[in-house]
Amino acid sequence: MNSTSNTNSNTNSTEAALQEHIRGQREEIFAQLSEIIAFNSVYLPDNPELKEEHTNAGNWVDAALADAGLEVSAIPTADGSTTYLASTPKIEGAPTVLLYSHYDVVLAGDPAEWTADPFTLTERNGRWYARGAADCKGSLAMHLAGLRAVDDTVGLQNLGINLRVLVEGSEEQGGDGLDKLIKERPELFQADVMLIADGGNVAAGTPTITTALRGGAQLKVSVDTLRAPVHSGLFGGVAPDATLALLRALDSLFDDNGHTVIRGFEPTDDAKWHWDGASYDAATFRSDAGVLDGVGLHGKGTDEEIAAQLWSRPAATVTALSSRPTSDVVNAVTHHAEAVVNLRVPFHLDTQDVVEAAAQQIRDAVPFDARIKVTAEDVFSPFSTSTDSAAFETFESAMATAFGKDVRNTGNGASIPLTTALAEANPDADIAVYGLCEPQTTIHSPDESVDPEEIIRLATTEALFITRLSEQARNS
């Protein structure tokens, strides 16, 4: 047998061992994920109870990365959270791969809306349920499973590449601390390949790499019309209603079909307004989004337009609205009303330009010459990445092997501000966005869940990619 045959045989044997190792970790993954899930690690530093939970979760991350055989640095950030950066011993001249996840979560909300305790990992009908199961503690457990397999099968110290693992603690609150750290100390985050495990497949079992993410912002809108509420019987019908004025102003962002319409950014026949990737089947979208029977969608509802509206056109969503709670209703004309509008901006547009246009449009549309204030917060840029590189092809091939299916490259209507910050610090890096958040996970909602097979297949993807890239580095 020639040397090429021996090399191929050894490679096949190693890859088979990696896949078997990870599949055999199912109970260990469940146990480890259960431990980190148990912390209610919402990053709200003004809440002492949650601050302690968040700190304890960070300490768990520190210990878990050290147990994986990595050298760990705990780095305080400007927003008061802690980022953990772990690495293998540096090999000069070798390529560097960075793995990303975060250990903070969003609030669980009312426990009564959950089938079981949100902070106890529970298995039902083949899925694992808990806050953070998919976003993003499941991805942390996935990284650790892949690293264990590589260490036990090949040895992390024997790789021909450098590995870094980045785990932040305030992503759900905007990740401002990590963004500033990247700008202040970019050398900490230098990498040739970045694997951002905060995305998801278009469906469980369908391997997907996200190539475009929307930018975004929060517009806070407040309207004032009167010094104080006045009796609706004495003044209603003439006195300017702040709630009505706010609703009219917000409605200016939408046409009669529900399309988001922002002056200067209306879709045309130009190719940039059309999505040339995979379409989004309308029936699948309705199911994924939980649209009630008989209720229509924004726009025309065709497969192609759904994809375009999600991934190549601006979108506005009214995420909060308040004037007076219905439980406290009185017969009075409201004097003050507030709303929050979440803007999403596709990769080919400038977020700040869209934000300014939308804010001015709201101001111009308010009736009664009401006093209106529009402020923008959490403004961040969109992201897109090229698929034309050897490293990307290697990752795509590893994912196809792990899933036993061809990989889909698609856009994602969500936003991950970190990707833009890392891309700006590493303009030549290859970046792959993927993860556990397929539609059934219902992240940020009660009964968040993850398919454990997704963890196993994506951990296998990472292990195969790391070993393949390592072998390529040795042979180059």
Side-chain angles (χ1 to χ4, degrees), residues 267-274:
T268 65
D269 290 334
D270 191 296
K272 70 181 181 181
W273 298 106
H274 300 275

Side-chain angles (χ1 to χ4, degrees), residues 261-268 272-273 314 348-349 353-354 357-358 361:
V261 180
I262 299 173
R263 285 196 302 265
F265 300 96
E266 300 90 344
T268 65
K272 70 181 181 181
W273 298 106
H348 56 82
L349 299 179
D353 290 345
V354 176
Q361 186 167 310

Side-chain angles (χ1 to χ4, degrees), residues 305-369:
E305 192 188 62
I306 289 172
Q309 285 179 259
L310 288 173
W311 305 322
S312 64
R313 300 179 188 176
T317 303
V318 180
T319 54
L321 181 69
S322 67
S323 56
R324 178 181 292 112
T326 56
S327 58
D328 298 333
V329 64
V330 294
N331 294 326
V333 180
T334 56
H335 72 300
H336 175 81
E338 299 178 345
V340 176
V341 178
N342 178 251
L343 284 180
R344 300 288 175 161
V345 180
F347 63 91
H348 56 82
L349 299 179
D350 181 272
T351 301
Q352 191 62 47
D353 290 345
V354 176
V355 166
E356 290 175 2
Q360 191 58 49
Q361 186 167 310
I362 294 171
R363 294 186 192 102
D364 292 344
V366 72
F368 318 131
D369 290 326

